Structure formats: structure tokens, C-alpha cells
Amino acid sequence: MDTTWHFSFMILASLLVFWLMLRLLLPKEQFRAKQIQIGLLALVVVVFGMVFGKHGATAGLPWWVYYPMPMLLTVLLPPLVLRLNRRTTAAYLALSFLSAPVIHVLFSFFLGWTEYMPFWKIPALSSYLA
């Protein structure tokens, strides 16, 4: 079965989660005023980060290159670019660390897609029903 399209869908889901996190954390007027910055951040943090991680892993780069780079982009760029205060930064960091495992659990459990975090095995719902 061809699963190459899964990655595009995972990027879209991650973009949605990133956007929702920032919408939740930023005041409405600040969120609206920074739409361009948020869009550019999403491209770098989510799209570039995921593409770099995927291609780094498949190209045989060491894990300490392809895994921390996207994580550092996710952790450092949004608080710096959006000039988040300490409280908002702490909330952003908590949500950003939770978002990837939650996305992985949802994809793995409900759809049986294990590519998001392939090192963490989550049985699919279908395996319990079969």
C-alpha cells in the first residue's frame, strides 16, 4: 500500500495544531496582528522541521542531527519571534512538547499510521477489533 501521502496529511495536521496553539495562547488582537509572522513561523517550524527530520532520517544522518534541529526550531523560534512573555512561553513550551505525542497517538491508534514518531509503538484500534 502506498503511504507516501500520509506525510502531507501529517504536515497539515501539525500546521493546524500549531495554529490552534498560538490562537489559544495569544490575545485575539495580537494573533490577528501577527498573522504574517505566524504563517512564516509555521512554514519554518512545522513544514521545514518535518521535512528536514524526515529526509534527515531517510538520508542516514545521525539522530542527533535530524531530531534535535526541528525540536529546537519549535522550542526557540516562536517565543523569540512573537516576543512571548514568560508565562505565555511556559504555556507554549508545555503545549509544544505535548502536541507531537498526542498527534502520534491519534494517527497511530485511529488510523494505524506509525510514521509520525516511528520509535514509539502505539497499537492501532483495528488491531483490537480484528
Side-chain angles (χ1 to χ4, degrees), residues 40-91:
L40 292 173
L41 273 172
L43 284 174
V44 172
V45 169
V46 177
V47 178
F48 174 77
M50 288 182 71
V51 169
F52 180 83
K54 179 173 178 61
H55 291 292
T58 57
L61 292 177
W63 72 267
W64 49 267
V65 173
Y66 72 80
Y67 191 75
M69 177 74 149
M71 189 256 322
L72 288 171
L73 287 173
T74 301
V75 169
L76 298 175
L77 277 185
L80 292 173
V81 170
L82 298 173
R83 302 178 201 268
L84 302 181
N85 61 36
R86 288 180 190 219
R87 184 175 165 191
T88 307
T89 297

Side-chain angles (χ1 to χ4, degrees), residues 18-35 37-39 41 78-79 81-85 88-89 91-92 95:
F18 183 77
W19 184 85
L20 288 172
M21 281 183 356
L22 292 177
R23 178 63 198 100
L24 175 71
L25 294 170
L26 296 174
K28 191 176 195 175
E29 59 279 351
Q30 187 180 2
F31 183 80
R32 284 187 179 160
K34 295 188 176 197
Q35 284 296 301
Q37 288 174 312
I38 291 169
L41 273 172
V81 170
L82 298 173
R83 302 178 201 268
L84 302 181
N85 61 36
T88 307
T89 297
Y92 169 78
L95 288 174

